[in-house]
Short mmCIF file of all heavy atoms in Angstrom, two decimals:
data_model
loop_
_atom_site.label_atom_id
_atom_site.label_comp_id
_atom_site.label_asym_id
_atom_site.label_seq_id
_atom_site.Cartn_x
_atom_site.Cartn_y
_atom_site.Cartn_z
N ASN A 66 -38.19 -57.32 92.40
CA ASN A 66 -37.03 -58.17 92.13
C ASN A 66 -35.87 -57.42 91.47
O ASN A 66 -34.91 -58.01 91.01
CB ASN A 66 -37.43 -59.35 91.23
CG ASN A 66 -37.88 -58.92 89.84
OD1 ASN A 66 -38.42 -57.83 89.67
ND2 ASN A 66 -37.68 -59.77 88.86
N ALA A 67 -35.98 -56.07 91.43
CA ALA A 67 -34.92 -55.25 90.82
C ALA A 67 -33.83 -54.94 91.84
O ALA A 67 -34.11 -54.70 93.03
CB ALA A 67 -35.50 -53.96 90.27
N GLU A 68 -32.59 -54.94 91.38
CA GLU A 68 -31.44 -54.58 92.20
C GLU A 68 -30.68 -53.45 91.50
O GLU A 68 -30.31 -53.58 90.32
CB GLU A 68 -30.51 -55.78 92.40
CG GLU A 68 -31.16 -56.94 93.11
CD GLU A 68 -30.26 -58.17 93.21
OE1 GLU A 68 -29.26 -58.23 92.45
OE2 GLU A 68 -30.56 -59.05 94.03
N ARG A 69 -30.45 -52.34 92.21
CA ARG A 69 -29.79 -51.17 91.62
C ARG A 69 -28.45 -50.92 92.30
O ARG A 69 -28.30 -51.14 93.50
CB ARG A 69 -30.66 -49.92 91.77
CG ARG A 69 -32.04 -50.01 91.15
CD ARG A 69 -32.87 -48.77 91.47
NE ARG A 69 -33.08 -48.60 92.89
CZ ARG A 69 -33.41 -47.45 93.49
NH1 ARG A 69 -33.56 -46.37 92.76
NH2 ARG A 69 -33.58 -47.38 94.78
N SER A 70 -27.50 -50.43 91.50
CA SER A 70 -26.22 -49.99 92.07
C SER A 70 -25.72 -48.80 91.26
O SER A 70 -26.22 -48.52 90.17
CB SER A 70 -25.18 -51.12 92.04
OG SER A 70 -24.88 -51.50 90.70
N GLY A 71 -24.72 -48.10 91.81
CA GLY A 71 -24.25 -46.85 91.20
C GLY A 71 -24.70 -45.68 92.04
O GLY A 71 -24.88 -45.80 93.26
N ARG A 72 -24.94 -44.53 91.39
CA ARG A 72 -25.41 -43.34 92.11
C ARG A 72 -26.45 -42.62 91.26
O ARG A 72 -26.31 -42.49 90.04
CB ARG A 72 -24.25 -42.38 92.42
CG ARG A 72 -23.13 -42.99 93.24
CD ARG A 72 -22.01 -41.99 93.45
NE ARG A 72 -22.34 -41.04 94.52
CZ ARG A 72 -21.74 -39.87 94.69
NH1 ARG A 72 -20.81 -39.47 93.84
NH2 ARG A 72 -22.08 -39.08 95.70
N ILE A 73 -27.51 -42.14 91.92
CA ILE A 73 -28.50 -41.27 91.29
C ILE A 73 -28.62 -40.04 92.18
O ILE A 73 -29.27 -40.08 93.23
CB ILE A 73 -29.87 -41.98 91.16
CG1 ILE A 73 -29.75 -43.23 90.29
CG2 ILE A 73 -30.90 -41.03 90.54
CD1 ILE A 73 -31.05 -44.02 90.16
N LEU A 74 -27.97 -38.96 91.77
CA LEU A 74 -27.92 -37.75 92.58
C LEU A 74 -28.99 -36.76 92.12
O LEU A 74 -29.00 -36.34 90.96
CB LEU A 74 -26.54 -37.10 92.49
CG LEU A 74 -25.34 -37.98 92.91
CD1 LEU A 74 -24.03 -37.21 92.74
CD2 LEU A 74 -25.51 -38.43 94.36
N PHE A 75 -29.89 -36.40 93.02
CA PHE A 75 -30.89 -35.37 92.74
C PHE A 75 -30.65 -34.22 93.72
O PHE A 75 -30.79 -34.40 94.94
CB PHE A 75 -32.31 -35.93 92.92
CG PHE A 75 -33.39 -34.91 92.68
CD1 PHE A 75 -33.66 -34.47 91.40
CD2 PHE A 75 -34.13 -34.40 93.74
CE1 PHE A 75 -34.66 -33.53 91.18
CE2 PHE A 75 -35.12 -33.46 93.52
CZ PHE A 75 -35.39 -33.02 92.24
N GLN A 76 -30.25 -33.09 93.18
CA GLN A 76 -29.85 -31.93 93.99
C GLN A 76 -28.84 -32.36 95.06
O GLN A 76 -28.89 -31.91 96.21
CB GLN A 76 -31.08 -31.29 94.65
CG GLN A 76 -32.03 -30.66 93.64
CD GLN A 76 -33.19 -29.96 94.31
OE1 GLN A 76 -33.81 -30.49 95.25
NE2 GLN A 76 -33.51 -28.75 93.85
N GLY A 77 -27.93 -33.23 94.67
CA GLY A 77 -26.85 -33.66 95.55
C GLY A 77 -27.17 -34.84 96.43
O GLY A 77 -26.27 -35.43 97.04
N ARG A 78 -28.46 -35.24 96.54
CA ARG A 78 -28.84 -36.38 97.37
C ARG A 78 -28.81 -37.66 96.55
O ARG A 78 -29.34 -37.69 95.43
CB ARG A 78 -30.25 -36.19 97.93
CG ARG A 78 -30.35 -35.17 99.06
CD ARG A 78 -31.75 -35.17 99.63
NE ARG A 78 -32.73 -34.65 98.67
CZ ARG A 78 -34.05 -34.67 98.85
NH1 ARG A 78 -34.55 -35.20 99.96
NH2 ARG A 78 -34.87 -34.17 97.96
N ASP A 79 -28.22 -38.72 97.09
CA ASP A 79 -28.17 -40.00 96.39
C ASP A 79 -29.48 -40.75 96.65
O ASP A 79 -29.72 -41.24 97.76
CB ASP A 79 -26.98 -40.83 96.86
CG ASP A 79 -26.78 -42.08 96.00
OD1 ASP A 79 -27.64 -42.36 95.15
OD2 ASP A 79 -25.76 -42.77 96.19
N LEU A 80 -30.33 -40.85 95.61
CA LEU A 80 -31.64 -41.47 95.78
C LEU A 80 -31.55 -42.98 95.96
O LEU A 80 -32.51 -43.61 96.44
CB LEU A 80 -32.53 -41.14 94.58
CG LEU A 80 -32.82 -39.65 94.34
CD1 LEU A 80 -33.83 -39.47 93.22
CD2 LEU A 80 -33.31 -38.98 95.61
N LEU A 81 -30.43 -43.59 95.58
CA LEU A 81 -30.27 -45.02 95.83
C LEU A 81 -30.15 -45.33 97.32
O LEU A 81 -30.41 -46.46 97.75
CB LEU A 81 -29.05 -45.57 95.09
CG LEU A 81 -29.13 -45.66 93.57
CD1 LEU A 81 -27.94 -46.43 93.01
CD2 LEU A 81 -30.42 -46.32 93.10
#
Side-chain angles (χ1 to χ4, degrees):
N66 65 330
E68 298 176 343
R69 302 175 298 159
S70 64
R72 302 178 79 199
I73 300 177
L74 302 179
F75 179 72
Q76 294 184 315
R78 286 186 292 172
D79 189 353
L80 300 186
L81 289 189

